[in-house]
Amino acid sequence: MSGLALQYRYCRVRLSRIGGGVMEAFWQFVNKRSVRLALAVFCLLLAIQGIYRIYLAQTNVEMFRGAGELVLWFAWSLVNYLRANGKVAPKLNIAVNVGIAMIVVSWFMG
């Protein structure tokens, strides 16, 4: 191998080790029970915002977007609550994706 190729390989390995340690520390922090419960409460508050958006809706598009926010944030709240208790519900990802899709579609409606 040439010197330049060795330098590139050394830098790539070194950077992946640095980045991997940061991400590992991040996920260790996020997976703490208290952090997951705080995220669940925050997502529940955002779901309440979706209910409020439905309540204030004057058009079907606003109501659709509020429903998308409600589905998205309530599903994320459940995901975080279950992970705080050591459980996983893989089917909730479908609800999260449906909520995201509803919000994105509402941008292009009406």
Side-chain angles (χ1 to χ4, degrees), residues 49-70:
Q49 172 192 337
I51 294 170
Y52 188 64
R53 186 181 293 265
I54 292 170
Y55 176 72
L56 292 179
Q58 295 181 358
T59 64
N60 288 338
V61 175
E62 292 173 358
M63 191 173 293
F64 188 77
R65 180 171 176 131
E69 288 183 7
L70 177 64

Side-chain angles (χ1 to χ4, degrees), residues 10 66 68 84 88:
Y10 172 75
V88 176

